[in-house]
Each structure stands twice: as C-alpha cells, then as structure tokens.
Amino acid sequence: MKKMLGNILYTFTILLIATGLAFLFFHFVKDNTANIALIYILALILISKGTTGYLYGIFSSLFCVSFINACFTYPFFEINFALSGYPFTFVCMLIIAVTTSAMTTKLTRQDEIIAERERKLNEAEKERIRANLLRAISHDLRTPLTSIIGSSASYIENHGALDSNEKLELITTINEDANWLLNMVENLLSVTRIQGDRHEVSKEPELVEEVVSEAIDRLEKRLPGACVNVSAPDDILMIPMDFLLIEQVLINLLENALVHSESPRPAELVITNDVSSVTFHVIDHGKGIPEAALPDIFSGQYDSSSSSDTRRGRGIGLSICRTIIQAHGGTITAHNHESGAEFAFSLPKT
C-alpha cells in the first residue's frame, strides 16, 4: 500500500511539473507547440523509470495525449481526437510508456537479484570468518587455559613440597599464559569495532607517527626488552583509520616478528609513502614461514605449533589483522625474503 501511494504521488508530481513547463513553453512559443509533446514524452520516461508496473505509464500516456489535445492544439481547450495524426501520436506515446516500463522493471529486478547475491556472499564471508575465528579460538585459548589450570593445580597440591624456584616457575607460567589470554581477548574485542554487513569501520584522520609510537609502547610493556627499528619518511603522514584497530594490527605483526621468528635480531618496521596509500612493512630476520603455509596464513587456519613455543599460535591474530585491514579498504600480504619473513599492509589515503 505504501509503495502504491508512493508511485501515485511520484506520477502526479512528474505530470504536474511537465504540465507547468508545457504551459510556460506554450505561453512564450505559441508558434511551435509540437515540441510540447517532447516534454510529456520525457515525463513518460521518468514515470516509467520511477514507478513499478505498467499501470502508471499507461495512465500517464492517456493523460498526456488527452491533455495535449485539449490544451495545446487548435481549437484550444477542447478535446478533438478527429485531428489528423492524433491516433498515431497516442500509439507512439503508449508504446514509449510500455517499453520503458518493461525495461526499467527488468533492470530493477536485475538490481534486486544482484543485491541479493551480494548479501548472500557477505553472509557467507561472515560465516567463514566466524568459523575460522571459532576454530582458532578453540585451539589458541584451550592450550593456555589448560596450562594455567595445570600449573595452579600443581602449586596448590604440592605447595609444601616445592622449593622457591619451582614455585616461581609455576607462577611465571601462569603469568605468561594469562597475558597471552589477555592479548587474545584484545584481538577479539577489536573485531567488535568492525560494524555492519559490509565490515565497515569508523575512520578519522590520524598521524602515522602517533599510531606507530603507541603500538611500540604497548608492545614493550607486553614484551620487555623488545627491540624494533623504525624507518619512516620525513613527511608528515596523516591517513584515515580507526586508531585502535590499526594499533592492534601493528602490535600483532610486530609481536609475531619478535616471538615466532626465533631470531635475536631486532624486528624492522618500514613505512613507505606511495601515491595513493601508505604501506607498513614488518620484517623479521628469522626462520621465515613454510611456503606451504603462505596461502592460508591469514585464514585463521595457520598453526605455528612447530615453533618451540607451542602455546602461542598466530593464526587468529593474522586472521583478525586481515579483517581489520580489509574493513579499511586496504590490503595485507605475507612473503619470505632472503633471511626471514615480511608482512605488509597498505591503507588508502582517502
């Protein structure tokens, strides 16, 4: 009902505007009233395009032919369909209305099909991301929780029999695993900042220098002794981003470079200023990534359990990094170089 009323209102509005223009044209150019039909033909096209179904176009064509006959053809203000050529004019305007309505109806249906297909693809992508996250969570959270429970149980049951070094070792293990769980929760909370079906984020212009500085400060609190060499252009770089999300991406990638590379050398953060984007390169000098794992590195399925630190997988962190960067309209890649691995993500300047 609401849609029908909207179509009726739209039809009468267009006809009213066309009639006003026709009277203006008739008032100033009385010697060439045939061009008034062009005004009504344009009105028919707009009505057929802006309404659903054929009824509104057919009604408008009847109105236009009758109104032109009555008001703009001699004898004026008198309907006379016996005039030469009027049956042909009526048929032509009717054909225009029906043809345009058919074409626009078909295009509207195609647009609806495309929109529905995109909606289903978005839903499928959301389900895929959700499944990957849940799969990664089940692995990355279960192991440290088991370790915490086991270490705390050993401390409680054997408190009297443990020496100070053994107690310190158990407490240290509990502390490390608890910090890892905190990091994981921060990653998961980051995803909640991504809004809507289109995975959009709220972006504000931010200084690249500030987000890098804040990320390294937080990383050093999490990993005392962490060393990152930063290289950036001298230009002041300001790009639209969600500050906290990009900070989280940098922390994830830098922590991976320091922890999983198994290298004593500092990680590198190289920032390059391109024509339409700014790219962040996180480079380590370690063992690199197995070539077979590179295609799935951001899927949430990658497992770095071959590392000596089997409690810490990087799959979920990298999956979240990709989700965040894609929500910003950017890209993220990973590859090996001669002496390690490099992760790079680009953010558009606009």
Side-chain angles (χ1 to χ4, degrees):
M1 185 64 179
K2 185 178 180 180
K3 191 172 185 179
M4 184 180 70
L5 291 176
N7 287 332
I8 293 173
L9 180 61
Y10 178 82
T11 300
F12 278 102
T13 301
I14 296 297
L15 289 177
L16 183 62
I17 294 173
T19 300
L21 292 174
F23 272 110
L24 284 174
F25 190 88
F26 181 72
H27 177 74
F28 290 105
V29 192
K30 291 185 177 180
D31 295 334
N32 192 12
T33 57
N35 288 332
I36 292 176
L38 297 178
I39 297 175
Y40 281 105
I41 288 174
L42 177 60
L44 282 178
I45 294 174
L46 293 176
I47 290 170
S48 298
K49 189 176 185 303
T51 58
T52 55
Y54 303 101
L55 180 62
Y56 307 99
I58 294 173
F59 167 80
S60 300
S61 64
L62 292 172
F63 171 83
C64 292
V65 172
S66 301
F67 204 78
I68 291 173
N69 182 283
C71 297
F72 304 113
T73 306
Y74 183 84
F76 300 111
F77 303 103
E78 179 180 337
I79 295 179
N80 183 6
F81 279 101
L83 294 173
S84 175
Y86 250 87
F88 177 75
T89 303
F90 169 75
V91 171
C92 287
M93 296 187 77
L94 188 62
I95 290 174
I96 289 173
V98 174
T99 303
T100 307
S101 295
M103 291 177 62
T104 53
T105 300
K106 183 177 180 180
L107 290 174
T108 300
R109 179 57 182 162
Q110 288 179 345
D111 290 341
E112 291 175 351
I113 293 174
I114 292 173
E116 179 66 16
R117 185 178 302 166
E118 290 180 350
R119 186 189 67 80
K120 290 182 178 179
L121 288 174
N122 285 334
E123 287 296 326
E125 178 67 12
K126 287 172 63 179
E127 288 299 323
R128 187 185 65 80
I129 292 173
R130 186 180 294 111
N132 287 339
L133 289 178
L134 289 175
R135 183 163 46 248
I137 289 170
S138 66
H139 174 270
D140 284 2
L141 295 188
R142 185 190 300 116
T143 304
L145 282 173
T146 302
S147 177
I148 290 173
I149 293 171
S151 297
S152 60
S154 295
Y155 188 92
I156 294 171
E157 293 172 1
N158 305 301
H159 180 271
L162 297 173
D163 59 33
S164 58
N165 289 333
E166 291 173 331
K167 291 179 181 179
L168 180 60
E169 182 179 352
L170 288 174
I171 294 174
T172 300
T173 300
I174 293 172
N175 180 263
E176 289 177 352
D177 284 323
N179 283 323
W180 176 249
L181 288 176
L182 177 62
N183 180 33
M184 193 64 59
V185 170
E186 289 177 351
N187 274 303
L188 295 175
L189 289 176
S190 295
V191 178
T192 65
R193 294 175 61 86
I194 301 176
Q195 304 166 354
D197 292 339
R198 298 182 180 180
H199 300 165
E200 296 177 345
V201 293
S202 176
K203 296 186 287 187
E204 296 291 339
E206 302 285 356
L207 280 171
V208 170
E209 181 182 357
E210 288 186 1
V211 70
V212 169
S213 176
E214 186 66 24
I216 292 177
D217 286 344
R218 286 186 57 194
L219 179 67
E220 290 175 345
K221 292 177 182 178
R222 183 178 298 171
L223 299 175
C227 184
V228 179
N229 295 331
V230 180
S231 174
D234 294 332
D235 302 334
I236 296 177
L237 300 179
M238 181 172 285
I239 55 177
M241 68 173 80
D242 184 305
F243 188 98
L244 294 178
L245 289 180
I246 298 304
E247 178 187 352
Q248 189 65 45
V249 171
L250 286 171
I251 292 172
N252 285 350
L253 296 180
L254 289 170
E255 184 175 4
N256 284 340
L258 293 167
V259 174
H260 295 284
S261 65
E262 300 181 0
S263 171
R265 296 178 59 181
E268 296 182 31
L269 174 59
V270 179
I271 301 168
T272 56
N273 184 16
D274 305 315
V275 176
S276 59
S277 63
V278 173
T279 303
F280 300 76
H281 306 263
V282 177
I283 304 168
D284 66 54
H285 300 278
K287 63 179 184 178
I289 304 168
E291 291 296 330
L294 282 173
D296 296 324
I297 193 74
F298 297 107
S299 67
Q301 301 175 3
Y302 174 66
D303 183 10
S304 60
S305 58
S306 59
S307 169
S308 61
D309 186 358
T310 58
R311 292 173 295 132
R312 294 175 168 82
R314 49 174 146 175
I316 186 172
L318 293 177
S319 176
I320 290 173
C321 286
R322 182 181 66 171
T323 301
I324 291 172
I325 297 305
Q326 288 180 342
H328 281 77
T331 57
I332 184 168
T333 59
H335 67 273
N336 290 317
H337 58 87
E338 292 181 357
S339 59
E342 175 180 342
F343 290 83
F345 66 91
S346 298
L347 298 177
K349 292 181 178 180
T350 57

